[in-house]
Amino acid sequence: MKISFLNQSKKKRIWPLVVFSSFLRMLPAALLELGNDEVYYREYALHLQWNYFDHPPMVALLIRLSTFNLHLDHELFIRLGSILCAGFSTLLIYRIGCLIRNESTGWMAAVLFTSSFYSSVIAGTFILPDAPEVLFWLLSIYGMIRVLEPGERHKICSIYFIFLGVTIGLCTMSKIHGLFLWIGFGGYILFHRRDLLRNPFLWLSAIITLFLISPIYFWNLGNHFITYQYHQARIVALGRPDPGYFLQQLFGSMAYANPVNFILYAVMLYALIKRRMGPLPGFYPLFLWLSFPLIGILLWISLFNETLPHWSGPAYLSIMLMTALYADHKWPFRIWPPWVKAAFVVYCITVIFGTAFIRFLPFPFSSKDQKTLGKGDISLDMSGWRDFAIQFDSLYRQDLREGRMKPSSAIISDYWFPASHLDHYIALPNHLNLLAIGPLHDIHQFAWLNERRPRLTKGTDAYFIYPSNYYGPPKVSLKGDFASVEDSIVVPQYKLKKRVRNFVIYRIHDYIGSPADYLIPGIR
């Protein structure tokens, strides 16, 4: 892949790299519909809170900012905050690389960051809590390095301690994993720099972090510590091991890192053990402390629970910096070492062809059963919803004309997805009321959204909708709250004229229950 900035100096390359990678990220951001998690976080942004059922509030605030308070609601603008965070993060990791050795190390770090699917796609294109988390994680590493730099004046060191307390606090307000920054930095201090324990600004820094993250605690205090209960149930660290979960976490981490990058990480660690890394900064153990506790704990938890590979994503940022040091030592005069170039090319090709596949191509290995058609095809999470919204709007208007449904009809779902897609693509644009009815562990943040929306009143009609890839007709308990339920209507989705999924619609008539049936007691 020949790119025009290949013949420039390393220092002059960084801005073209940021611009090129940002435009490449805009391709899927503009062409793909929102995924399950993304559209759910878009629901967060409807009403800003100090904390949400699943996560702290930073992702909701980021969406509000990038959409100009939800006035620009296209997928590109919803994801724009993530793209901007990735651009700033690329510049930042370059700067960190320059600090720990030279411009060549900074360049290698920036290219490794860009070619990582976690940092450049998961946290750099899609709008997830990881987007601001990665930015503040890198800012925190930068602050730690400035604190540890030899010969740093006391006054400047104190300022960076305060800076560090703020950035770790904001990182934790993005995702609770940010607390591992203090675990890593604390471990480094205890084993390598105990003299810092006498610095009062270290303790002030920790207090600043606690102050900034206190809204998480106080929100949970008023909501029965529901966030902790939910996540605690997902990370039971004892029981009967399941090797499948472990391998899913391990190989998923490899894939998210970019397999070529992961090989480089392994080679770097081998060179570190064999002392073939070349000259290293005195604080290099800090990078290991910032990586292995989070990676190790998640691998342990994955023996007993199904985990998600991107949970350990930030831990690889410091490994990335160590690998940049190794690449600069191994190929000191090469701007595009073969392995680094290979990782970058793999990333570019995957983004371009992956976008085309999700948008246009049917997935050959998904379920073919009409009831569960499309099950296993995650590309359907990011396609087909806009077309279905148009088809549903026509059906709804026809039902109103023919008197089959009342004008006050609502849309009902019983799980946080597809409820988020239905709300974003159908209910909100058409000014319809969507309610999620079910237990709290099924409907998540919709328990709080329900409180803000019109109640179902006696005699209300509703549509119950679900996609076949997440098969789930209305439960008996829900049917019992309505006088009658019509037979389902099926709206197919096609890719290349091949039927890939069915949207199933039920008309349910005359609500006979009460709001207490679906409002969660004690949740406000």
Side-chain angles (χ1 to χ4, degrees), residues 351-388:
V351 169
I352 293 170
F353 283 93
T355 301
F357 169 78
I358 293 171
R359 184 75 186 270
F360 302 112
L361 299 179
F363 185 68
F365 304 112
S366 61
S367 172
K368 303 299 187 294
D369 185 333
Q370 288 302 304
K371 283 187 176 180
T372 58
L373 185 64
K375 184 177 176 62
D377 181 359
I378 61 172
S379 73
L380 295 176
D381 299 340
M382 292 180 280
S383 66
W385 289 99
R386 285 196 180 278
D387 289 341
F388 172 63

